[in-house]
Amino acid sequence: MDKHALAEFLRGKRERVRPEDVGLPHGSRRRTPGLRREEVAQLAHISVDHYSRLEQARGRHPSRAVLTGIARALRLSDQERAHLFRLAGEAAPEQAQGPSRAVDPGTLKLLERLTDAGALVLDNTCRVLAWNPLAAALFEDFSALNGADRNVIRRYFLHPDSVRRGYGTAEPHRFVTAAVSYLRVAAARYPDSAELRALIDELLAGSEDFTRLWNSHELRIDHHHHMEIRHPQVGPVELDFDILTVPGQDQQLIIFTAEPDSSAYRALQLLNVLGIQRMDIPTAESGIPPNSVWRESGGARH
């Protein structure tokens, strides 16, 4: 482990990442360029003291999980990620060709427990990998779609107006700008992914709106926001949504919640019932309970 070279590399990369690149407000009191140490530590899911010691060349040997978290927080390329591992005395990780679609069992278990909130797991291309029944009732029955059509960007730009309006969001531009921002990050992270390149080419060829947004290079990701969904069955629903990064994965857990005892909360409760009746999901008669969490393979988690 080359402590001094590692420290210099981390400082240089941290100073080159803009707060807005990782969904943080820029603010007006930043004395140095790039991210603060505590912001990198938060994004990497490690302690501030551990990260600070690494930058000061006095830290202990970091684990592979810590290095993976730091690489993700600093938005390192595959080459930079491999270099980081070598500086830390670790074998370079294999280069991934695209975002992982394997959802961690712990994440699936969390979705299962969120019975009064809609929840989705998306990869950085905005492909829906797993969802709970309330999320399907809020947006659409993802189990009825094939894998490629579960991509919300593809649905928005290439499908009929009912979906194109951003699943009923009152601010569709904000919704789709955030989605395209994630796609932009994925394209930089996986430049050799043929599947990702094919998706972008399909969108560029099929949508002038996508082409304009893509060529604008606009990057905006809100990790917490208040939104209104105009649902065709229960009307306007005021929701909070939070985007949480799944540690060790290029995946996001998105949770839609409402204030307890509010009209929106009652609407979610109603959708919990209506969704089970209207969604084309196998019932308990087929051995699959209607409140199961679903993932991309089409199988339900009991």
Side-chain angles (χ1 to χ4, degrees):
M1 175 177 170
D2 190 335
K3 289 187 176 183
H4 292 282
L6 176 62
E8 185 177 348
F9 179 75
L10 291 175
R11 284 195 301 270
K13 289 303 173 185
R14 175 172 61 82
E15 291 171 356
R16 286 169 174 77
V17 180
R18 300 175 302 170
E20 53 267 33
D21 292 342
V22 293
L24 296 173
H26 188 279
S28 58
R29 297 184 178 180
R30 291 183 179 268
R31 294 176 292 179
T32 58
L35 299 177
R36 301 184 178 102
R37 285 175 179 170
E38 56 266 29
E39 291 170 336
V40 176
Q42 180 183 6
L43 292 168
H45 302 285
I46 61 177
S47 72
V48 178
D49 180 66
H50 189 9
Y51 180 77
S52 297
R53 286 176 176 273
L54 291 175
E55 273 207 12
Q56 294 163 357
R58 44 189 200 95
R60 64 181 185 274
H61 190 284
S63 68
R64 294 179 69 86
V66 166
L67 293 171
T68 298
I70 292 173
R72 183 181 61 248
L74 295 177
R75 297 296 190 260
L76 299 186
S77 68
D78 285 337
Q79 289 182 341
E80 291 169 335
R81 188 166 175 256
H83 184 59
L84 171 68
F85 272 67
R86 284 192 291 267
L87 290 176
E90 289 282 348
E94 293 184 6
Q95 293 188 1
Q97 294 300 307
S100 172
R101 292 191 181 135
V103 182
D104 185 80
T107 303
L108 291 173
K109 201 173 283 286
L110 177 59
L111 260 67
E112 196 172 62
R113 293 170 179 165
L114 292 171
T115 56
D116 60 352
L120 302 164
V121 177
L122 279 67
D123 67 15
N124 273 5
T125 71
C126 288
R127 181 159 169 164
V128 180
L129 304 179
W131 59 96
N132 66 2
L134 187 50
L138 269 171
F139 301 112
E140 67 176 322
D141 179 7
F142 298 106
S143 69
L145 306 175
N146 63 40
D149 278 341
R150 288 191 191 127
N151 186 295
V152 298
I153 299 177
R154 194 172 184 274
R155 296 287 286 165
Y156 182 91
F157 286 107
L158 301 182
H159 280 259
D161 286 347
S162 59
V163 174
R164 182 177 160 79
R165 286 195 292 269
Y167 293 103
T169 60
E171 298 178 279
H173 179 73
R174 187 168 195 155
F175 161 83
V176 77
T177 298
V180 174
S181 294
Y182 275 113
L183 182 62
R184 202 183 301 282
V185 170
R189 175 78 175 85
Y190 304 104
D192 298 326
S193 171
E195 183 178 346
L196 186 53
R197 185 68 254 172
L199 171 64
I200 295 170
D201 288 344
E202 180 186 20
L203 290 164
L204 289 170
S207 171
E208 293 181 0
D209 290 340
F210 175 82
T211 301
R212 281 192 295 270
L213 184 55
W214 186 255
N215 291 338
S216 74
H217 299 285
E218 184 175 358
L219 189 69
R220 186 179 68 193
I221 297 172
D222 295 317
H223 289 275
H224 175 78
H225 186 54
H226 188 75
M227 66 186 300
E228 178 185 291
I229 293 178
R230 297 161 183 165
H231 195 276
Q233 289 184 287
V234 299
V237 185
E238 296 280 344
L239 297 173
D240 290 311
F241 79 81
D242 293 273
I243 301 178
L244 309 176
T245 299
V246 180
Q249 304 275 21
D250 279 342
Q251 295 173 0
Q252 316 299 323
L253 171 61
I254 307 178
I255 303 175
F256 300 87
T257 58
E259 287 291 327
D261 299 323
S262 66
S263 60
Y265 186 82
R266 290 189 289 274
L268 291 183
Q269 290 180 311
L270 178 58
L271 281 175
N272 253 332
V273 177
L274 293 178
I276 292 171
Q277 294 176 355
R278 71 184 179 86
M279 290 192 302
D280 190 20
I281 289 180
T283 65
E285 192 174 352
S286 64
I288 300 177
N291 62 343
S292 295
V293 168
W294 282 72
R295 55 177 178 258
E296 190 185 54
S297 64
R301 178 182 176 84
H302 293 258

